[in-house]
Amino acid sequence: MTSTLNFNVFTAPEKPMVGERPRPLGPAMAWDPMTSTLIYGENDAVLVDPLTTVAEAEALAAWVKLHNRNLTTIYITHGHIDHFSGLGVLLKHFPQAQAIGSPSTVKMAQESLSILSWFSKFLPGQFPTDTPLPEVYKEETFTLEGHELRIIEQGHTDGVDSTSLYVPSLDLVVGGDVLYNQCHQYVGESTPESRANWIAALDRLAALNPKYAVAGHKKTGVPDVPESIEWTKQYLVDFGRLQAETSSDQELFDAMTELYPTWACHQAWLMFGFPMPAE
């Protein structure tokens, strides 16, 4: 007989960044607030995305220990460095846990590691020195105390090769970076085609009719409500419309600010792209 599952969400707050802004717009650069989700049963638990910095990962490990469960699995939703660089810290505290990601997630994570030293310039001294990769996991599901957790391949959303996680017994979706919640979205690398795919990915989550939806990035303190799926979708529609209607970066930035004045982390780099290193 299977046990009843529960979940809790850990939110790491916005992090100030150093370095040149890609556009002289808005406040100084900062990294979005972001989440890690613990799904747990009577004895065991699964953690989704082990965060970014040493301080965040250490705080997350202490929080996981408060649940007094055996952490069996750490699932990585995608290969952006902020969603897996804390993995080594978590594995130090939970050496029995198996870290897994889809083949595309592991490939992207490996590529992210190749420029980790460059990323470190923006959060100096904060990244772990040991950053292992998750193991390649090719199946579409895994289990926790008899309950199925389903991996949803989502393609290009705020980056290439995103996945989400669906837990039917909880009516829960953990969206990864497919889903944002009252937090300005990383559209800086998006195109009309990738935004269309992103909207299709959100429609897949909505079709599951979840009771709870956890965003990869969310404003601190907001609830994990399914309405965030539609909010994320509307943001993409508004950005595409205003990008076509405005004639300068300043106009676009101001127009999005006016539409979403209370959303967290309104940084120009989210809207216009991160200053990636030259080839």
Side-chain angles (χ1 to χ4, degrees), residues 58-215:
E58 289 286 0
L60 177 61
W63 176 82
V64 170
K65 288 177 181 179
L66 292 175
H67 293 79
N68 195 31
R69 299 298 194 276
N70 173 41
L71 186 63
T72 62
T73 308
I74 301 173
Y75 178 72
I76 312 297
T77 58
H78 64 291
H80 278 166
I81 196 73
D82 55 331
H83 285 261
F84 79 93
S85 60
L87 179 57
V89 175
L90 268 295
L91 290 176
K92 178 185 69 176
H93 287 278
F94 304 100
Q96 77 286 354
Q98 180 187 23
I100 62 172
S102 70
S104 58
T105 289
V106 176
K107 180 178 181 292
M108 183 182 180
Q110 195 159 25
E111 293 169 355
S112 294
L113 277 184
S114 70
I115 56 171
L116 179 57
S117 62
W118 175 82
F119 273 113
S120 298
K121 296 187 301 182
F122 299 94
L123 296 170
Q126 297 185 56
F127 281 96
T129 55
D130 178 28
T131 309
L133 291 170
E135 298 176 25
V136 173
Y137 188 78
K138 296 182 178 180
E139 304 300 322
E140 295 180 353
T141 63
F142 57 102
T143 61
L144 172 61
E145 294 190 357
H147 295 270
E148 184 179 72
L149 285 71
R150 300 179 191 168
I151 298 169
I152 305 172
E153 294 282 356
Q154 299 280 41
H156 195 159
T157 59
D158 83 338
V160 298
D161 298 324
S162 296
T163 74
S164 301
L165 197 64
Y166 175 47
V167 188
S169 62
L170 283 173
D171 289 328
L172 166 70
V173 292
V174 183
D177 276 8
V178 175
L179 185 60
Y180 284 65
N181 188 346
Q182 299 183 48
C183 183
H184 285 276
Q185 297 163 210
Y186 183 47
V187 291
E189 293 181 15
S190 72
T191 64
E193 293 75 21
S194 70
R195 290 194 295 274
N197 184 77
W198 193 342
I199 288 169
L202 290 161
D203 286 340
R204 280 190 285 275
L205 297 184
L208 297 170
N209 194 28
K211 185 176 180 181
Y212 308 102
V214 180

Side-chain angles (χ1 to χ4, degrees), residues 198-235:
W198 193 342
I199 288 169
L202 290 161
D203 286 340
R204 280 190 285 275
L205 297 184
L208 297 170
N209 194 28
K211 185 176 180 181
Y212 308 102
V214 180
H217 297 276
K218 73 169 188 173
K219 186 176 181 178
T220 303
V222 299
D224 303 299
V225 293
E227 289 83 358
S228 61
I229 300 172
E230 184 58 35
W231 299 338
T232 304
K233 183 176 177 178
Q234 187 61 50
Y235 189 98

